[in-house]
Structures are given as C-alpha cells and as structure tokens.
Amino acid sequence: MKDFAWLEPYLNRLQLYDLLLVISIIGLGWIIQRFLIKPILKKIVAVQDRYQQKVGARFIEQFSPSIRYAFLTAIVFLALSIVLEVSLFSHPKTYRLFYSIMVFFVFKGLYDTLTYYSLNPRSFQILGRNETFITPFLIRIIKAITAVLAIFTIAFMWGFNLNGFLTGIGLTSVALAFGIRD
C-alpha cells in the first residue's frame, strides 16, 4: 500500500458529494455496459452467425464478459480521476495497475474462449481427415501457455525480475527431458 500513499491527501479531502458522484458515474457506466455494449456485442455475434462465421461469433461471445468488465474498470478509474482531480492514468503505479487489469481481461477473454472450445471440441480438417482426439489436448496446452504468459506479462509490467525463475524452469525442463528419455 505504500506505493499508493501519494493518494492519501486526495482521499482525505473527499466529501459525501464526491462519493455520490463516483457512485453515479460508476452506475452510469454499468448501465451503458449492460444496456448498450452487451446488446451490441450480441448483435455482432448474431451477424457473425448469420454469415456462417462460427469461430468469430464464438470468440466474440466468449470474450464479451471480459470486454464489459474492462469497460467497467476503465469507468472506475475515470470516476476516481474526476473526483480526486488527479489523473490515475498518468501516475506510474496506478498506470501499471490499470494496464495490468486490462492485460488480465485480455488473457481472461482468450482463456474463456479456449475453455469453450475445450468443452465443445470441433473437428479440425488435417489432410482431409477428422481428428477430434487431438483438439482438446492441444487446447489444454494452449490454455496453460496462455495462463503462464498472462502471469509473466503482468509480472514484467510491475518490474519483477523473472530471469531466475525462467532459468529454473529451463533447468527443470532439461532434467525432465533426460529423465524421460529411453
């Protein structure tokens, strides 16, 4: 919390009017995402379905909650910036927090899409054959890689040194490879 101590003077001067303003801005943002963004995304999915673009439709459909939550997060940061009279988007710590949350929602949308396809496997045409047995396995691997990439991306944004961790993973992989070989 010491990283956000610079906000304390701004928070101390808040009054009831300011809190009501924040709540009303967030409420307006919720109404916009609920009654405007959500129907627009549903309409895009319907158009994609109508034109037989099933992959795009399912991608947007599964990504939709992440888009809406990212919008609400931006509204919360905007409301707090207005009330505190300081830009939360320009200070390094709050900037990192905001973009970390946005990166999380991007990866969450990808992960949700992959989860959908792992629960509803589709046949892939590989050299004219249907091979459905490999699809769920590959999707699970891609989901794991997506989760690891999300963690690494957010850790990198916050300035964590990942060299030791990556070296440990590399050495562990080499040891497993030697142990598994015939």
Side-chain angles (χ1 to χ4, degrees):
M1 288 310 275
K2 67 179 179 177
D3 291 336
F4 299 104
W6 66 274
L7 281 172
E8 188 175 342
Y10 298 104
L11 291 173
N12 287 338
R13 64 182 182 165
L14 286 180
Q15 297 178 359
L16 182 61
Y17 167 78
D18 297 325
L19 294 176
L20 292 174
L21 182 62
V22 166
I23 291 170
S24 61
I25 291 172
I26 293 172
L28 180 64
W30 181 82
I31 289 170
I32 289 171
Q33 74 87 21
R34 175 80 176 161
F35 297 109
L36 186 66
I37 294 174
K38 187 176 181 179
I40 288 173
L41 291 172
K42 281 187 176 188
K43 194 62 98 171
I44 291 171
V45 168
V47 168
Q48 294 270 331
D49 278 336
R50 189 175 326 129
Y51 290 111
Q52 302 299 321
Q53 297 177 350
K54 301 291 183 189
V55 174
R58 295 301 74 78
F59 182 79
I60 293 170
E61 183 179 62
Q62 297 304 313
F63 221 91
S64 176
S66 293
I67 293 170
R68 294 188 350 251
Y69 295 143
F71 176 78
L72 277 178
T73 302
I75 291 295
V76 168
F77 271 75
L78 181 66
L80 290 174
S81 292
I82 290 171
V83 169
L84 297 176
E85 297 174 358
V86 62
S87 177
L88 297 179
F89 299 104
S90 63
H91 193 274
K93 297 295 181 180
T94 54
Y95 170 85
R96 278 191 216 138
L97 177 64
F98 176 73
Y99 283 106
S100 296
I101 294 170
M102 292 300 127
V103 166
F104 168 78
F105 284 130
V106 167
F107 280 106
K108 174 81 168 93
L110 289 172
Y111 192 84
D112 289 345
T113 303
L114 291 169
T115 299
Y116 172 80
Y117 280 116
S118 69
L119 296 175
N120 304 303
R122 303 286 187 241
S123 298
F124 287 119
Q125 295 290 330
I126 302 174
L127 300 175
R129 298 178 306 185
N130 288 336
E131 296 193 17
T132 58
F133 67 94
I134 201 164
T135 304
F137 177 71
L138 286 177
I139 289 176
R140 287 185 189 117
I141 290 173
I142 294 170
K143 279 174 54 176
I145 290 170
T146 301
V148 168
L149 279 175
I151 292 168
F152 283 165
T153 303
I154 292 172
F156 178 75
M157 288 176 72
W158 283 91
F160 289 106
N161 186 359
L162 301 174
N163 292 337
F165 182 72
L166 293 175
T167 302
I169 289 176
L171 291 174
T172 303
S173 300
V174 169
L176 285 175
F178 279 122
I180 293 175
R181 72 184 179 125
D182 235 350

